[in-house]
Amino acid sequence: DVKVTQSSRYLVKRTGEKVFLECVQDMDHENMFWYRQDPGLGLRLIYFSYDVKMKEKGDIPEGYSVSREKKERFSLILESASTNQTSMYLCATRQASYEQYFGPGTRLTVT
Amino acid sequence: SQELEQSPQSLIVQEGKNLTINCTSSKTLYGLYWYKQKYGEGLIFLMMLQKGGEEKSHEKITAKLDEKKQQSSLHITASQPSHAGIYLCGAGAWNSGNTPLVFGKGTRLSVIA
C-alpha cells in the first residue's frame, strides 16, 4: 500500500525560527515535490527533486530551501519563518509519468 | 505555462443527484489526474487519464479525457454525503516524466440530505 508521511500534521512556530518539514515515502519513487496550498491560490510548487541530492526550484522558492540526502526523504526548510509562510504544506511523490501520491499535509502557523 | 481552470468553483447538490465537474487546460493535455481532498487533509488520488477518449470509473465516479477540447470531466452518479469535499484536477507534460503537475483551484462539493 502506498505511503507518504509528513513529520507533523500541525505546527506552530514563531517569526524568525528555522523550520524543518520532513516527507518520507516508501515507494522508491524518483520524484518528490513540495507544494503549499492557500485559499484562493490553490496548490503552488515550491521545490521538487528528481533524484538524490538533486533539486529544482518551483514557482515560489523564495524563503525556502530543500534537502534530499536519501531517496525516500525530502525535507523542506524555512530558513527564517515569516507570517506569510503560514499555510498548508503538501508533499507528493511520483515515479515517472505514473500516479502521484500526496502526504496528509502539515498545517503550519507562524506567529 | 499551463493553466487549469475548473468549473464550477462550488456545487451544492441533493443526495442522490448526479453532477459533473469540468477541468479545462490552456495547453494540450497529455495526461490528467483527479484528486479528492477533505478539509484540512491531503489529496487522495482518484484517477489518472492518459489518452484522448479514455474513460475510467471507480465506484460511482467516472472521469473522461477529451484531448481535442483540452478538457476532462468528472461525473458522480447518485451522490452521497461521502462524496463531499474538494475535487482537484492536475496535469503534466508527458514528454518528461519528471515534470511537476500543475493544478486547478478545485471545486468544492457539498451534498445535502
Side-chain angles (χ1 to χ4, degrees):
Chain A
D1 206 14
V2 168
K3 198 163 186 182
V4 184
T5 58
Q6 293 185 229
S7 46
S8 306
R9 290 297 304 275
Y10 300 95
L11 208 52
V12 180
K13 295 291 182 180
R14 293 194 183 276
T15 302
E17 278 192 87
K18 192 168 186 175
V19 181
F20 294 86
L21 303 181
E22 197 165 70
C23 176
V24 179
Q25 51 113 347
D26 67 354
M27 294 165 286
D28 203 35
H29 284 177
E30 301 164 341
N31 303 305
M32 297 188 75
F33 310 88
W34 274 107
Y35 293 86
R36 62 177 283 178
Q37 185 180 32
D38 301 285
L41 297 177
L43 277 110
R44 292 180 291 168
L45 181 69
I46 305 171
Y47 267 97
F48 66 103
S49 168
Y50 53 87
D51 201 353
V52 176
K53 296 193 187 292
M54 304 302 290
K55 60 185 179 184
E56 294 285 342
K57 292 181 180 179
D59 300 318
I60 50 163
E62 297 77 20
Y64 302 94
S65 63
V66 290
S67 171
R68 192 164 180 202
E69 296 295 320
K70 293 185 178 181
K71 191 174 186 180
E72 67 270 18
R73 196 178 298 264
F74 191 35
S75 300
L76 180 70
I77 303 152
L78 285 66
E79 298 292 342
S80 177
S82 63
T83 54
N84 62 13
Q85 291 179 310
T86 291
S87 186
M88 175 72 144
Y89 289 88
L90 292 159
C91 172
T93 77
R94 191 175 84 232
Q95 181 69 13
S97 302
Y98 298 101
E99 293 89 348
Q100 176 162 314
Y101 295 100
F102 281 82
T106 295
R107 185 166 293 280
L108 172 68
T109 303
V110 183
T111 62
Chain B
S1 61
Q2 186 173 30
E3 292 184 357
L4 299 177
E5 185 171 336
Q6 288 187 235
S7 62
Q9 289 185 328
S10 65
L11 197 52
I12 302 173
V13 298
Q14 200 165 20
E15 185 175 355
K17 297 293 185 184
N18 302 337
L19 63 108
T20 300
I21 297 168
N22 292 306
C23 176
T24 303
S25 174
S26 61
K27 292 190 174 183
T28 300
L29 275 172
Y30 293 98
L32 199 289
Y33 295 73
W34 282 103
Y35 291 88
K36 179 186 175 184
Q37 185 179 30
K38 290 284 193 183
Y39 180 74
E41 298 181 10
L43 279 66
I44 305 299
F45 173 80
L46 294 175
M47 277 170 272
M48 180 177 71
L49 305 166
Q50 292 185 273
K51 301 173 187 175
E54 186 173 12
E55 181 175 320
K56 286 188 177 178
S57 294
H58 175 68
E59 297 179 344
K60 294 186 178 180
I61 301 176
T62 300
K64 299 178 187 179
L65 180 61
D66 187 332
E67 246 178 14
K68 287 183 181 177
K69 290 185 180 178
Q70 295 179 183
Q71 185 178 70
S72 177
S73 60
L74 187 84
H75 184 78
I76 298 177
T77 304
S79 58
Q80 300 168 356
S82 60
H83 288 128
I86 301 170
Y87 290 82
L88 295 103
C89 62
W94 296 107
N95 55 353
S96 169
N98 299 327
T99 305
L101 302 185
V102 295
F103 288 87
K105 292 186 178 176
T107 295
R108 185 179 294 272
L109 172 64
S110 301
V111 181
I112 56 175

